[in-house]
Amino acid sequence: PVNGVAPDFTVNKTLVTVGEAVQFTDLSSGAPVAWYWDFDNNGTIDSTARNPSHTYTTAGDKTVKLTASNMYGAASESKVALVRVAGATRAAGPVDDVQALINTSQPYDTIVLSAGVYRAGSKGPANNVLVVTQPLTLLGLGGTGDVMIDGEGARRCLYVVSGRVANVTCIN
């Protein structure tokens, strides 16, 4: 409809830990007068505020749905896996076996890599390539280029089947 609502929204963070708040901001057009937020896509309305904050209590990828309405009707927008709520945080240094940490982590854990050069080595399922097969986050600390994974001549140094990598540079 010409006068209908077109729901849209954004968040201030897409990666948080359990217990950390996420701020949701309504960007809907069509002059909505009511908002219905479902923060984990389970069919339950969690908030009716225009710009709510929500704190997640369980780890996982969260799909968020906003239904907005005005006098002409209502419409919904869902964003799949918009927010990742991390589980445990594990720290690693350049001398640690990162593949072993990956293999022993639980889904939605975060492995924090301190500055340095990490060797992919031949301990993983592929020679000189770190392999991430579950929804984990590898997070490099520091600036661009501070955390590097050396594939030691392999065509790639990191193979991500399921997961996220942030602030990590691959070198070969």
Side-chain angles (χ1 to χ4, degrees), residues 146-161:
D146 285 351
V147 176
M148 295 178 281
I149 299 173
D150 187 351
E152 301 178 48
R155 296 180 116 170
R156 59 184 172 198
C157 67
L158 187 62
Y159 180 65
V160 180
V161 176

Side-chain angles (χ1 to χ4, degrees), residues 87-92 100-106 109-113 137:
T89 299
R90 304 174 77 185
L101 284 172
I102 291 168
N103 294 345
T104 58
S105 292
Q106 298 298 310
D109 283 357
T110 298
I111 300 172
V112 178
L113 305 173
T137 298

Side-chain angles (χ1 to χ4, degrees), residues 5-88:
V5 166
D8 192 16
F9 60 94
T10 189
V11 294
N12 67 329
K13 301 174 194 172
T14 58
L15 176 62
V16 297
T17 57
V18 171
E20 186 176 353
V22 177
Q23 181 65 48
F24 293 83
T25 303
D26 172 55
L27 302 174
S28 302
S29 60
V33 295
W35 300 265
Y36 306 95
W37 296 89
D38 182 354
F39 297 122
D40 48 12
N41 202 34
N42 65 357
T44 300
I45 302 304
D46 299 304
S47 177
T48 57
R50 181 176 185 181
N51 297 307
S53 177
H54 182 72
T55 301
Y56 289 99
T57 59
T58 59
D61 286 337
K62 307 300 181 178
T63 295
V64 179
K65 180 179 178 182
L66 168 63
T67 301
S69 66
N70 66 12
M71 62 189 272
Y72 300 103
S76 297
E77 170 72 14
S78 292
K79 296 190 179 184
V80 177
L82 175 66
V83 178
R84 172 163 287 180
V85 182

